[in-house]
Coordinates of all heavy atoms in Angstrom, one line a residue:
W35 N -9.0 10.8 -13.2 CA -8.5 10.4 -14.4 C -8.9 8.9 -14.7 O -9.0 8.1 -13.8 CB -7.0 10.4 -14.5 CG -6.5 11.8 -14.8 CD1 -7.2 12.8 -15.3 CD2 -5.2 12.4 -14.5 NE1 -6.5 14.0 -15.4 CE2 -5.2 13.7 -15.0 CE3 -4.0 11.8 -14.0 CZ2 -4.1 14.5 -14.9 CZ3 -2.9 12.7 -13.9 CH2 -3.0 14.0 -14.3
G36 N -9.2 8.7 -16.0 CA -9.6 7.3 -16.4 C -11.0 6.9 -16.1 O -11.4 5.7 -16.4
V37 N -11.8 7.7 -15.5 CA -13.2 7.4 -15.2 C -14.1 7.7 -16.5 O -14.0 8.8 -17.0 CB -13.7 8.2 -14.0 CG1 -15.2 7.9 -13.8 CG2 -12.9 7.9 -12.8
R38 N -14.8 6.7 -16.9 CA -15.7 6.9 -18.1 C -16.9 7.8 -17.8 O -17.3 7.9 -16.6 CB -16.2 5.5 -18.5 CG -15.0 4.6 -19.0 CD -15.6 3.2 -19.5 NE -14.6 2.3 -19.9 CZ -14.8 1.0 -20.3 NH1 -16.1 0.6 -20.3 NH2 -13.8 0.3 -20.7
N39 N -17.4 8.3 -18.8 CA -18.6 9.2 -18.7 C -18.4 10.3 -17.7 O -19.3 10.6 -16.9 CB -19.8 8.4 -18.4 CG -20.1 7.3 -19.5 OD1 -19.9 7.5 -20.7 ND2 -20.4 6.1 -19.0
R40 N -17.2 10.9 -17.7 CA -16.9 11.9 -16.7 C -17.6 13.2 -17.1 O -17.5 13.6 -18.2 CB -15.4 12.1 -16.7 CG -14.9 13.1 -15.6 CD -13.4 13.1 -15.6 NE -12.8 13.6 -16.8 CZ -11.6 13.3 -17.3 NH1 -10.8 12.5 -16.6 NH2 -11.2 13.8 -18.4
P41 N -18.2 13.9 -16.1 CA -18.8 15.2 -16.4 C -17.7 16.2 -16.6 O -16.5 15.9 -16.2 CB -19.7 15.5 -15.2 CG -19.0 14.7 -14.1 CD -18.5 13.5 -14.7
P42 N -18.0 17.4 -17.1 CA -16.9 18.4 -17.2 C -16.2 18.6 -15.8 O -16.9 18.7 -14.8 CB -17.7 19.7 -17.6 CG -18.9 19.2 -18.3 CD -19.3 17.9 -17.6
T43 N -14.9 18.5 -15.8 CA -14.2 18.5 -14.5 C -13.1 19.6 -14.5 O -12.4 19.8 -15.5 CB -13.5 17.1 -14.3 OG1 -14.5 16.1 -14.3 CG2 -12.8 17.1 -13.0
I44 N -13.1 20.3 -13.4 CA -12.2 21.5 -13.3 C -11.2 21.3 -12.2 O -11.6 20.9 -11.1 CB -13.1 22.8 -13.1 CG1 -14.1 22.9 -14.1 CG2 -12.2 24.0 -13.0 CD1 -15.3 23.7 -13.6
W45 N -10.0 21.7 -12.4 CA -9.0 21.7 -11.4 C -8.7 23.2 -11.1 O -8.3 23.9 -12.0 CB -7.7 21.0 -11.8 CG -6.6 21.0 -10.8 CD1 -6.7 21.1 -9.4 CD2 -5.2 21.0 -11.0 NE1 -5.5 21.1 -8.8 CE2 -4.5 21.0 -9.8 CE3 -4.5 20.9 -12.2 CZ2 -3.1 21.0 -9.7 CZ3 -3.1 20.8 -12.1 CH2 -2.4 20.9 -10.9
D46 N -8.9 23.6 -9.8 CA -8.6 24.9 -9.4 C -7.1 24.9 -8.8 O -6.9 24.3 -7.8 CB -9.5 25.3 -8.3 CG -9.3 26.8 -7.9 OD1 -8.7 27.5 -8.6 OD2 -9.8 27.2 -6.8
V47 N -6.2 25.5 -9.6 CA -4.8 25.5 -9.2 C -4.5 26.6 -8.2 O -4.5 27.8 -8.5 CB -3.9 25.7 -10.5 CG1 -2.4 25.6 -10.1 CG2 -4.3 24.6 -11.5
H48 N -4.3 26.2 -6.9 CA -4.1 27.1 -5.8 C -2.7 27.7 -5.7 O -2.6 28.7 -5.1 CB -4.5 26.4 -4.5 CG -6.0 26.2 -4.3 ND1 -6.6 26.5 -3.2 CD2 -6.9 25.7 -5.1 CE1 -7.9 26.1 -3.2 NE2 -8.1 25.6 -4.5
E49 N -1.7 26.9 -6.1 CA -0.3 27.3 -5.8 C 0.6 26.9 -6.9 O 0.2 26.2 -7.8 CB 0.1 26.8 -4.4 CG 0.1 25.3 -4.4 CD 0.6 24.8 -3.0 OE1 1.0 25.6 -2.1 OE2 0.5 23.5 -2.8
D50 N 1.9 27.3 -6.7 CA 2.9 26.8 -7.6 C 3.3 25.4 -7.1 O 4.2 25.3 -6.3 CB 4.1 27.8 -7.5 CG 5.2 27.4 -8.5 OD1 5.3 26.3 -9.0 OD2 6.1 28.3 -8.8
N51 N 2.7 24.4 -7.6 CA 2.8 23.1 -7.1 C 4.2 22.5 -7.2 O 4.7 21.9 -6.2 CB 1.8 22.1 -7.8 CG 0.4 22.4 -7.4 OD1 0.0 22.3 -6.3 ND2 -0.4 22.9 -8.4
P52 N 5.0 22.7 -8.3 CA 6.3 22.2 -8.3 C 7.2 22.9 -7.2 O 8.0 22.2 -6.5 CB 6.8 22.5 -9.7 CG 5.6 22.6 -10.5 CD 4.5 23.1 -9.6
A53 N 7.1 24.2 -7.1 CA 7.9 24.9 -6.1 C 7.5 24.6 -4.7 O 8.4 24.6 -3.8 CB 7.7 26.4 -6.4
A54 N 6.3 24.2 -4.5 CA 5.8 23.9 -3.1 C 6.4 22.6 -2.6 O 6.4 22.4 -1.4 CB 4.3 23.7 -3.2
M55 N 7.1 21.8 -3.4 CA 7.7 20.6 -2.9 C 8.8 20.9 -1.9 O 9.1 20.1 -1.1 CB 8.2 19.7 -4.1 CG 7.2 19.2 -5.0 SD 6.0 18.1 -4.2 CE 4.5 19.2 -4.1
S56 N 9.4 22.0 -2.1 CA 10.5 22.4 -1.1 C 10.0 22.7 0.3 O 10.8 22.8 1.2 CB 11.3 23.6 -1.6 OG 10.5 24.7 -1.7
L57 N 8.7 22.9 0.4 CA 8.1 23.2 1.7 C 7.4 22.0 2.4 O 6.7 22.2 3.4 CB 7.1 24.3 1.5 CG 7.6 25.6 0.9 CD1 6.5 26.6 0.7 CD2 8.7 26.2 1.9
K58 N 7.6 20.8 1.9 CA 6.9 19.6 2.4 C 7.9 18.9 3.4 O 8.8 18.2 2.9 CB 6.5 18.7 1.3 CG 5.7 19.3 0.2 CD 4.3 19.8 0.7 CE 3.5 20.3 -0.4 NZ 2.2 21.0 0.0
P59 N 7.9 19.1 4.7 CA 8.8 18.5 5.6 C 8.8 17.0 5.6 O 9.8 16.3 5.9 CB 8.5 19.1 6.9 CG 7.0 19.5 6.8 CD 6.9 20.0 5.4

């Protein structure tokens, strides 16, 4: 984020990130 002249950028969403917070010891 915030980097100029950024090429097309893709985020591969692997999991239910909000729900995964309960599994972070």
Side-chain angles (χ1 to χ4, degrees):
W35 279 343
V37 176
R38 296 179 181 177
N39 302 318
R40 184 176 65 204
T43 303
I44 304 154
W45 177 30
D46 186 16
V47 182
H48 287 226
E49 63 180 352
D50 185 339
N51 293 295
M55 294 303 105
S56 65
L57 300 176
K58 309 295 184 185

